Amino acid sequence: MDALFAIFNTAHEHRNGYLLASTLDISGPPKHPHLVHAFAHDSTPSKIETDIRYRTVYNSALGLSKSDARAWLDLYVAYWKFAQAYDRNEEYSINVSQSKRCEQYARQYDTWKDFVNVLLRGYTSGAFAIWTLPCLYVAGKYLREFAIRADEQAAKMGTGNVMLSSAGFGDDVVGSMGVNEKLEDAARQINRIFGMCISDRAPIDESRKWAIYYITNLLFKTYFKLNSINLCKNILRSLQATSTDMPSLDKFPKSHIVTFEYYVGVIRFLEEDYTNAEAHLTHALALCPSHPTPSPHRQKILTYLIPCHLLITHTIPSATLLAPYPTLHHLFTPLCTAIRRGDLSAFDRALAANLDEFVKQRIYLTLERGRDICLRNLFRKVFLAGGFEEGGARRTRVGLVEFVAGMRCSLQGFSDGGAGGGGQGEEDGVGNARVEEVGRDEVECLIANMIYKNLMKGYISREHAKVVLSKAGAFPGTGV
């Protein structure tokens, strides 16, 4: 206990919020990693309040008013009760029954929740100064973490129906009462912290609004874990409504900004607002350091930014960009190669090969739209293969049969050499059947869509069974 309150005194002396928060963090300060366990064993239920009162209320060196010191007393008494539950859980969870383990994790969450309530009471009463805000960060972070642990134990016990997505971007879950009980409760508690911060009317230098983006990010993470992504929109609307009373985003810590921009980008991505998604994700990527080693945060951002670029700018990532990220290289390189070559068969195989991961990350439908770019590149190849007219100008009247032939080659797979190559899809006859189905009407429809989407410039002359392409930029953005 003496070690903990020595750090407490130093933090108050230097008004160091992060040092103060380390006394409430279960990982402890760097020099005292087992501080929470030592604190749990340093007193008894009958003596704990007296022990802490001696170090807070009666400690004149802190320079705290009686009411403020009393608030710290209540907070550390609540923390000691949590430390008891946490220490007991860590010490005995291995050799106890599943029902007892489930009970211990629930108790751990409940005592931390009590601690959070005491902390909130201290902030709303004005006992805790603005420099102590990192304590709120620790409170919110572990509230979510302990809730997840408790729900996982309840699932093993069979007393709860837990449906969590490890990636956080799974399909929406329509659940019943009792599903993810602790995490849903944690979301409500974190929402209380959010409300306390955003409604603070103190001058901005003394305002709890400086914690708003950290708490917002915690809410986003929790809602994504619960697959309640629509609730994120309420948070964004609240931030928008109070934007005039808030410091500008660039005044907040960079880590808060990167996480916030990432989640807003993903939310816009899932709403199919790709332009705004690209803007937020690009901002997050620009602020996220890339050296000296590839950042996992950059990988997460790129997972959504690459499909955005594909749809908006019709560009694919370079090999240099993907090289530091083996996962992204595995997912996107086959797709990019197929798009670059205009190989529809390879594109379909690349999508199918990583279908589960694409669906898990909720980017499958967006990537599927990249087939238009693959088709554009195929038709561009057919156009270039037409050569030149007698006067030296490129031939702009291309027969529909040429596009049909190109489609059939592409669906069969260029690597098959056009026939008998044993490509995937031919093994069960499905590939050949699809190739034979491709006819003039389907190709006409595809070309009409390309023209409508401004991926091609020209028109179809049905009378002559030709496509008449523009002499100046037949395929916008490709230099042809």
Side-chain angles (χ1 to χ4, degrees):
M1 187 176 294
D2 288 338
L4 185 148
F5 280 97
I7 299 169
F8 176 83
N9 292 343
T10 303
H12 271 81
E13 181 183 352
H14 299 285
R15 297 172 65 86
N16 187 332
Y18 287 97
L19 182 60
L20 179 64
S22 71
T23 66
L24 304 171
D25 193 318
I26 61 171
S27 59
K31 294 182 179 179
H32 302 277
H34 305 294
L35 194 61
V36 64
H37 297 291
F39 186 50
H41 291 284
D42 276 349
S43 191
T44 62
S46 60
K47 294 175 56 183
I48 184 61
E49 190 166 341
T50 302
D51 290 342
I52 296 177
R53 180 181 285 109
Y54 174 76
R55 292 167 171 83
T56 53
V57 178
Y58 298 152
N59 186 355
S60 59
L62 292 174
L64 297 174
S65 68
K66 193 170 184 179
S67 60
D68 290 357
R70 176 72 197 187
W72 287 111
L73 165 63
D74 293 342
L75 183 68
Y76 278 94
V77 169
Y79 183 65
W80 181 83
K81 292 176 181 178
F82 158 76
Q84 287 272 295
Y86 177 76
D87 183 70
R88 193 176 299 115
N89 191 26
E90 293 292 298
E91 187 174 351
Y92 300 113
S93 62
I94 298 175
N95 299 316
V96 299
S97 66
Q98 184 59 47
S99 60
K100 186 66 175 177
R101 186 179 295 114
C102 181
E103 227 177 83
Q104 288 175 343
Y105 275 94
R107 172 67 178 162
Q108 179 178 278
Y109 171 77
D110 290 337
T111 53
W112 186 262
K113 177 183 168 182
D114 293 341
F115 162 78
V116 172
N117 287 330
V118 175
L119 182 66
L120 291 182
R121 194 160 62 242
Y123 279 107
T124 52
S125 68
F128 300 154
I130 185 67
W131 63 268
T132 66
L133 281 178
C135 296
L136 269 182
Y137 304 163
V138 170
K141 179 180 75 170
Y142 284 115
L143 191 68
R144 177 178 177 273
E145 186 175 313
F146 293 145
I148 291 171
R149 292 183 188 178
D151 283 338
E152 287 173 348
Q153 292 301 319
K156 292 177 183 177
M157 178 67 185
T159 59
N161 181 16
V162 180
M163 300 174 71
L164 296 177
S165 165
S166 60
F169 307 128
D171 292 334
D172 287 344
V173 175
V174 180
S176 57
M177 293 300 291
V179 174
N180 306 324
E181 181 183 353
K182 295 299 185 185
L183 190 58
E184 288 175 354
D185 183 62
R188 289 190 288 272
Q189 303 308 317
I190 298 171
N191 210 353
R192 287 179 58 210
I193 301 175
F194 176 84
M196 181 192 71
C197 293
I198 202 167
S199 62
D200 190 12
R201 294 291 177 261
I204 200 62
D205 290 342
E206 303 169 9
S207 176
R208 293 187 293 269
K209 287 179 178 176
W210 289 107
I212 196 66
Y213 284 109
Y214 186 95
I215 302 303
T216 296
N217 295 337
L218 270 181
L219 274 175
F220 285 163
K221 290 178 183 179
T222 306
Y223 289 149
F224 269 81
K225 192 76 172 173
L226 288 168
N227 293 298
S228 300
I229 300 171
N230 281 336
L231 294 177
C232 296
K233 298 175 188 177
N234 299 333
I235 302 301
L236 292 175
R237 279 193 288 269
S238 297
L239 290 173
Q240 183 63 33
T242 59
S243 59
T244 55
D245 301 325
M246 293 272 291
S248 61
L249 184 60
D250 60 357
K251 298 291 194 298
F252 287 82
K254 190 179 291 186
S255 60
H256 298 191
I257 302 171
V258 170
T259 307
F260 177 75
E261 290 286 67
Y262 165 72
Y263 275 104
V264 174
V266 174
I267 292 164
R268 299 304 180 214
F269 180 93
L270 297 178
E271 293 174 342
E272 299 186 1
D273 182 0
Y274 297 114
T275 302
N276 274 328
E278 183 186 37
H280 287 287
L281 291 168
T282 301
H283 187 206
L285 188 69
L287 294 175
C288 196
S290 57
H291 300 290
T293 57
S295 164
H297 303 302
R298 287 177 65 86
Q299 177 171 311
K300 289 181 180 180
I301 295 167
L302 287 169
T303 300
Y304 295 92
L305 187 55
I306 288 170
C308 281
H309 275 309
L310 180 61
L311 285 193
I312 295 173
T313 65
H314 305 153
T315 56
I316 55 179
S318 65
T320 304
L321 178 67
L322 296 177
Y325 310 101
T327 301
L328 295 184
H329 185 272
H330 170 73
L331 291 176
F332 290 114
T333 297
L335 279 173
C336 294
T337 302
I339 290 171
R340 189 180 295 112
R341 296 177 60 200
D343 189 341
L344 296 175
S345 176
F347 182 86
D348 293 341
R349 289 198 301 270
L351 267 185
N354 295 298
L355 175 65
D356 291 343
E357 186 63 24
F358 290 146
V359 170
K360 182 179 176 182
Q361 299 294 339
R362 302 186 73 153
I363 60 176
Y364 176 80
L365 293 177
T366 306
L367 290 174
E368 193 177 37
R369 296 181 187 182
R371 201 172 195 273
D372 287 343
I373 312 304
C374 187
L375 188 59
R376 187 272 310 269
N377 289 346
L378 170 64
F379 288 162
R380 180 177 176 273
K381 279 189 171 185
V382 173
F383 172 67
L384 293 174
F388 297 88
E389 296 174 345
E390 290 183 4
R394 186 171 290 281
R395 184 165 67 99
T396 56
R397 289 173 173 80
V398 184
L400 279 169
V401 292
E402 297 179 44
F403 287 108
V404 172
M407 277 284 295
R408 288 180 175 177
C409 285
S410 184
L411 285 171
Q412 187 168 343
F414 293 133
S415 60
D416 299 339
Q424 185 174 338
E426 286 191 275
E427 294 175 3
D428 56 4
V430 174
N432 281 335
R434 176 70 185 111
V435 169
E436 292 301 323
E437 286 174 5
V438 175
R440 173 177 158 176
D441 289 344
E442 181 179 350
V443 172
E444 272 190 32
C445 181
L446 290 171
I447 291 173
N449 279 330
M450 291 289 105
I451 294 170
Y452 173 75
K453 294 174 181 177
N454 200 36
L455 295 173
M456 292 174 65
K457 283 189 176 181
Y459 63 91
I460 300 171
S461 173
R462 300 200 70 187
E463 182 181 354
H464 300 94
K466 290 184 181 292
V467 179
V468 182
L469 293 164
S470 171
K471 293 181 179 180
F475 292 87
T478 66
V480 176

